[in-house]
Amino acid sequence: MSGGQTIEVVVKAIEQVTPLIKHFQLASPRGEALPAFSGGSHVIVVMRGEARVHRNPYSLLSAPQNLDSYEIAVRRMDESRGGSHFMHDRLRVGSQLEIAHPVNLFGLDKIARKHLMIAGGIGITPFLAQLEDLHGGLVPYELHYSVRSAEHAAFLARLQAREQEHVHIYYDSENQVIDFEGLLSKQPLGTHVYVCGPAGFIGRVLDAARGCGWSPSHVHWEQFSAPPTGDVFQVQLARSMKKIVVPQDSTLLEAIEAAGVDVPYLCRGGVCGFCQSKVIECDGELLHYDHFLSDAEKAGGKTIMPCVSRARANHLVLDL
Amino acid sequence: MSVVFKPDETFRGEFTYSNSVAAIRRFPLPFAEDNYMYSVNIEPHAPGPKGSVTEFAFDVDEHYVAECKERALVLAAEPLRYQALPHMMSSQWDCLELVMESLSHDYPQLFSLERRSNAWHWINRPLGLDQRFTFGDVASLPCEPLDYATRQAQGDFVVMDQRDGDLWAEAGMVTTQADWSMDFDLGMTFREWHGPVPLAHEMQVFDRALKFLLNLRLGAPVRRLNWTMTVHPRLDTSPENYPKWGQDRARVTAKDAGDLVHLRVELQGLWRLPRSNAIVFGIRCYLISVRELATVPKWARRVHRVLKGLHPALVDYKGLTRYRDAVVEWLAPFDDGAPTTPGAGPE
Ligand code: FES
């Protein structure tokens, strides 16, 4: 049941939109319509390399009304783990891929009085689809987009063409920064804020929101960063009676999957809670990197989110 | 399967509703064992065996036309049985698409749907409807899309918006609800609507179910069975109409229990909706008289034992207090004590 059945797609077009970001258009090989989705959804892209299988989440940035193809954007990450290098270096027009059905963990609140969207860098992608949902509607919205420089601003033309009066762009190169406190303290009642971007960026927005007294139910965020790498460790899977080694540049989840054991997942980013697994024994330390478990649960050492978390232990047994 | 409809059977007045032999044999008995305990028992809504009620996403059976007529009667008297909040419009179109796509795909001889971009053409042969409309344009349909689609489907539909880590029932067509279910109100959360359930003081059961549903995936619907009993084959046993059916329960005797009392099984399905990210909860009701049930020897024994051993709190919760004993007495002669085979099937 991990991710449900996948959908076969073929790469229709590839465009280098900034020095680091490539834009991909994916369509059904038979020209059929792809499943409908809502703005803010992501898909897990399954990449079958020779040595290993990557499964990375990417936000859908295309218009939800257009189901002839899906569009995603992939930023080339510095470390070579993860699939961004595969996407950048190996894919050609015509390459085949599998994707899971879209999942939305970052949806717009339907009764919000106003939507305030804050994007950092590649974090612009989910908002592109949401803007399509919001355009021409009755609910006011604005997007604040912080990016290195004009050269690095993906989809600038697309944004400016139609959303001119809703979009505010801030270039690092020109020392323009978003004043989070200022922005968050002057919003009308019933506003929801959405933030997507690098971890530190999200953290600052969340801090500002807390400082300004925002209710957590009005603050939404999504982060797809490459799961952390770390030291090699060993795991025993009690139910499937397997012993596996988690390499440095692989996640625990990937290593379990490579051993042929299925773990349910939705986000592969430590957010949804789907992959939660029971720890039967651990003689060392669990390294929790997820945003799902409470601090008490993390300290309890009885459970782990294998999509992002690791361990420093000689003897770790999971109920899988 | 070619269905022969019984358009003139009724769920009120003379109560002419009945099940054919084929309908009895495919009845979704919710008891896989001789005793019953409350559980949430959610499973994937994957296609079941050919001819079974779970073969397709939405089962269309011999009662289809009569149930659609019954729904129209309820709505004519109480239009507010259909309601939707304004922000639920995209989920309404999602539901319409789900119903029309499923019915036309699964029953091509009964329904057809042609889509040219947003220009849709829908034909419902059993009800004699032929409708061209523009997907996304409410004005092109005779009524709102959820209203339109669910008037042509069996069972109730409640659409839940997902926000704040909860599910909010904010649109629905509810004309066949069982008397034991909570009074459905627009704007209720999942928990308010389903609780309190006796014995599920393991309210954690619900927390787990809620968490599961919040992560319900597109293309991976789930289902569960629930049950109660109803006097007469009355579909609409809503709290609003309690005065009309409440006294029926006191009238049941061990002599007429077989004809009066009906087992009422709900096949509940849950689907994630694509454009709105909402969830639709379909509650399809199957009714069978105790006499019809007893035509299957295994089921007569099984239901006798289940009812006899039912936990008192569940007897109360399901509203069976007044007549459970009468049904048990009526069924007793059919139960010779022989063992029953495992599973819920008739054999
Ligand atoms: S897959 Fe979502 S938390 Fe691990």
Side-chain angles (χ1 to χ4, degrees), chain A:
Chain A
M1 70 175 285
S2 34
Q5 335 128 270
T6 53
I7 308 164
E8 250 180 79
V9 290
V10 31
V11 178
K12 287 284 284 237
I14 304 178
E15 193 190 342
Q16 185 88 43
V17 285
T18 76
L20 288 175
I21 299 174
K22 271 191 176 179
H23 169 240
F24 298 87
Q25 207 182 333
L26 312 174
S28 143
R30 288 167 296 280
E32 291 159 4
L34 293 166
F37 67 96
S38 47
S41 299
H42 71 265
V43 291
I44 303 275
V45 177
V46 185
M47 296 160 252
R48 301 195 183 278
E50 280 109 58
R52 55 192 289 190
V53 181
H54 300 283
R55 290 183 178 81
N56 282 19
Y58 296 110
S59 296
L60 293 176
L61 60 91
S62 43
Q65 300 79 7
N66 170 21
L67 301 175
D68 296 335
S69 65
Y70 286 164
E71 294 172 42
I72 58 173
V74 180
R75 183 185 191 279
R76 190 183 190 92
M77 294 296 170
D78 303 333
E79 323 97 78
S80 65
R81 81 151 303 284
S84 73
H85 287 218
F86 184 98
M87 295 294 289
H88 270 257
D89 303 337
R90 306 282 296 279
L91 288 193
R92 303 282 175 266
V93 170
S95 297
Q96 303 258 349
L97 283 174
E98 285 161 56
I99 59 175
H101 274 94
V103 168
N104 198 341
L105 301 174
F106 192 52
L108 292 170
D109 188 288
K110 286 199 203 66
I111 59 169
R113 303 262 180 79
K114 177 183 171 184
H115 302 287
L116 175 66
M117 299 176 272
I118 305 179
I122 186 71
I124 187 67
T125 52
F127 296 122
L128 293 169
Q130 291 180 330
L131 287 171
E132 299 283 345
D133 282 339
L134 292 172
H135 187 77
L138 297 174
V139 185
Y141 60 94
E142 48 190 74
L143 168 72
H144 297 258
Y145 175 24
S146 163
V147 65
R148 218 187 282 187
S149 65
E151 183 202 16
H152 285 274
F155 311 104
L156 205 53
R158 195 187 279 216
L159 281 172
Q160 281 169 337
R162 203 178 65 181
E163 303 290 345
Q164 194 68 267
E165 76 270 37
H166 298 286
V167 177
H168 309 260
I169 300 177
Y170 306 75
Y171 296 117
D172 294 350
S173 58
E174 293 171 30
N175 292 323
Q176 298 165 333
V177 285
I178 309 180
D179 169 14
F180 296 134
E181 278 79 13
L183 194 57
L184 288 168
S185 59
K186 61 164 199 237
Q187 295 303 322
L189 216 65
T191 303
H192 281 245
V193 63
Y194 309 83
V195 54
C196 186
F201 183 85
I202 294 176
R204 274 180 282 137
V205 175
L206 298 186
D207 286 346
R210 217 171 294 125
C212 297
W214 280 63
S215 148
S217 65
H218 286 53
V219 181
H220 314 268
W221 56 275
E222 183 158 75
Q223 178 201 347
F224 292 133
S225 49
T229 52
D231 294 339
V232 177
F233 63 103
Q234 282 196 12
V235 196
Q236 229 169 291
L237 308 180
R239 269 188 277 152
S240 35
M241 299 194 297
K242 291 198 165 140
K243 214 175 179 145
I244 58 172
V245 176
V246 184
Q248 232 171 355
D249 60 351
S250 218
T251 64
L252 174 54
L253 180 60
E254 287 167 340
I256 296 170
E257 287 168 341
V261 177
D262 247 1
V263 180
Y265 63 79
L266 285 184
C267 69
R268 302 181 80 90
V271 184
C272 73
F274 234 58
C275 68
Q276 185 168 359
S277 304
K278 212 163 112 194
V279 176
I280 299 178
E281 273 174 66
C282 175
D283 69 349
E285 191 192 347
L286 298 176
L287 307 170
H288 295 288
Y289 297 114
D290 66 275
H291 308 280
F292 181 79
L293 297 175
S294 66
D295 290 345
E297 284 171 315
K298 286 181 184 173
K302 293 268 173 279
T303 180
I304 189 168
M305 316 304 295
C307 63
V308 289
S309 299
R310 311 180 67 89
R312 194 176 293 130
N314 295 318
H315 186 66
L316 172 65
V317 186
L318 298 182
D319 186 23
L320 284 171

Side-chain angles (χ1 to χ4, degrees), chain A residues 1-5 35-39 41 64 67 101-105 107-111 133 192 217-218 220 265-266 272-274 276 292, chain B residues 44 85 87-91 94 97 115 118 160-164 168 170 211-220 272-278:
Chain A
M1 70 175 285
S2 34
Q5 335 128 270
F37 67 96
S38 47
S41 299
L67 301 175
H101 274 94
V103 168
N104 198 341
L105 301 174
L108 292 170
D109 188 288
K110 286 199 203 66
I111 59 169
D133 282 339
H192 281 245
S217 65
H218 286 53
H220 314 268
Y265 63 79
L266 285 184
C272 73
F274 234 58
Q276 185 168 359
F292 181 79
Chain B
L85 294 179
H87 65 266
M88 298 304 277
M89 192 47 83
S90 68
S91 66
D94 277 336
E97 178 184 45
R115 301 168 60 157
N118 284 339
M160 302 181 287
D161 188 30
Q162 177 161 344
R163 49 174 203 274
D164 283 3
W168 306 74
E170 293 181 323
K211 197 176 138 194
F212 179 87
L213 292 179
L214 290 172
N215 279 323
L216 187 69
R217 283 166 301 136
L218 214 53
R272 171 73 65 195
L273 297 172
R275 297 172 189 80
S276 54
N277 203 37

Side-chain angles (χ1 to χ4, degrees), chain B residues 1-3 20-28 46-62 106-107 267 284 286 299 346:
Chain B
M1 186 189 65
S2 64
V3 209
S20 66
V21 173
I24 293 175
R25 292 195 66 83
R26 74 196 291 274
F27 191 83
K50 208 168 152 27
S52 73
V53 302
T54 54
E55 179 179 5
F56 300 123
F58 300 102
D59 181 37
V60 171
D61 66 7
E62 62 186 23
D106 299 335
Y107 301 93
L267 173 58
R284 169 67 186 279
Y286 292 86
W299 288 354

